[in-house]
Amino acid sequence: AQSVSQHNHHVILSEAASLELGCNYSYGGTVNLFWYVQYPGQHLQLLLKYFSGDPLVKGIKGFEAEFIKSKFSFNLRKPSVQWSDTAEYFCAVLGSGGTSYGKLTFGQGTILTVHP
Amino acid sequence: DGGITQSPKYLFRKEGQNVTLSCEQNLNHDAMYWYRQDPGQGLRLIYYSQIVNDFQKGDIAEGYSVSREKKESFPLTVTSAQKNPTAFYLCASSIGGRDLYTEAFFGQGTRLTVV
């Protein structure tokens, strides 16, 4: 079955600290992976996505993620967080074949709080 | 102004009543999705549709029903069989079809409270 697991429910950092949010997925086919962000009171929006090619993908606002196939992981990173990065972050996997074709599954979300 | 419109933003219903949440998109997207968002549980997939007149159950479809009679519309009915219907509901769409490898766009959500 297709699933996504995010290890941390709530992460608290000070500004300028480095960030890494964990994401592990379970899916038997070709993976298509996403990170979305939900700022307070706003829509979910895309941070970055991976479909194929370079396993290190860069997104908006200085975020990047690395796809490690052997670990079934797609962790999100940022070298130096800002107060404005305070939000909830969601990892997602998109099924690309069989009965999961087009099925977009999200993780539990990680709330990031950045203190000035 | 292109996008996904969910209405209403807040909805109150009495226990035992069915209620239908609206989701309309003018992005010409083939794929549409319904999620339920509860604190600490992320987004859980209720139903999804890749094309008109076809839809699939997600992970928590029990107590819900959908229809996809038009490309731009994907209404969700929360039936009286849903044990815990009070939640925040999100609708999303993506290009889908042959362009599977694109991101989803989300509406603003409907907060349903059943009393």
Side-chain angles (χ1 to χ4, degrees):
Chain A
Q2 181 175 322
S3 67
V4 178
S5 178
Q6 293 182 240
H7 315 299
N8 311 101
H9 177 58
H10 194 178
V11 172
I12 302 172
L13 296 172
S14 298
E15 274 193 320
S18 64
L19 170 72
E20 181 159 2
L21 300 182
C23 172
N24 284 95
Y25 66 90
S26 171
Y27 180 64
T30 302
V31 287
N32 305 302
L33 296 159
F34 305 84
W35 275 98
Y36 284 84
V37 60
Q38 188 174 33
Y39 297 104
Q42 296 188 26
H43 294 205
L44 266 86
Q45 57 185 279
L46 183 73
L47 268 182
L48 47 81
K49 59 187 177 186
Y50 171 79
F51 292 127
S52 63
D54 189 343
L56 184 62
V57 293
K58 296 191 184 297
I60 61 171
K61 304 186 181 186
F63 286 91
E64 64 179 33
E66 185 175 13
F67 168 56
I68 303 179
K69 190 175 181 179
S70 61
K71 295 184 178 180
F72 299 93
S73 70
F74 190 56
N75 292 354
L76 181 71
R77 300 195 293 246
K78 186 171 184 179
S80 175
V81 295
Q82 300 173 315
W83 176 80
S84 58
D85 292 324
T86 294
E88 190 163 12
Y89 293 80
F90 296 92
C91 183
V93 61
L94 176 65
S96 59
T99 56
S100 293
Y101 183 85
K103 183 179 183 182
L104 181 61
T105 302
F106 284 80
Q108 303 92 324
T110 297
I111 298 169
L112 172 65
T113 301
V114 180
H115 292 303
Chain B
D1 200 9
I4 301 170
T5 302
Q6 290 187 245
S7 60
K9 192 171 180 181
Y10 299 96
L11 190 55
F12 295 87
R13 279 296 182 268
K14 289 185 178 179
E15 196 171 339
Q17 289 182 335
N18 291 356
V19 59
T20 297
L21 281 59
S22 169
C23 178
E24 304 276 331
Q25 53 97 0
N26 60 5
L27 301 167
N28 200 33
H29 285 173
D30 282 313
M32 295 188 75
Y33 302 84
W34 273 108
Y35 294 91
R36 172 181 171 138
Q37 187 175 14
D38 297 284
Q41 299 195 58
L43 276 70
R44 291 183 291 166
L45 182 63
I46 304 172
Y47 271 97
Y48 63 109
S49 168
Q50 291 296 302
I51 199 167
V52 174
N53 292 323
D54 190 34
F55 49 82
Q56 288 75 40
K57 291 183 179 179
D59 300 313
I60 57 163
E62 186 174 347
Y64 300 97
S65 65
V66 293
S67 63
R68 188 85 189 276
E69 296 175 2
K70 297 187 293 183
K71 186 175 185 177
E72 60 269 24
S73 178
F74 192 40
L76 173 74
T77 297
V78 185
T79 75
S80 56
Q82 168 50 232
K83 298 275 189 272
N84 186 19
T86 294
F88 187 62
Y89 291 88
L90 279 168
C91 179
S93 72
S94 66
I95 294 175
R98 291 180 184 175
D99 289 317
L100 182 62
Y101 309 105
T102 57
E103 69 265 31
F105 296 86
F106 284 82
Q108 281 197 303
T110 292
R111 185 164 297 281
L112 172 65
T113 302
V114 176
V115 296

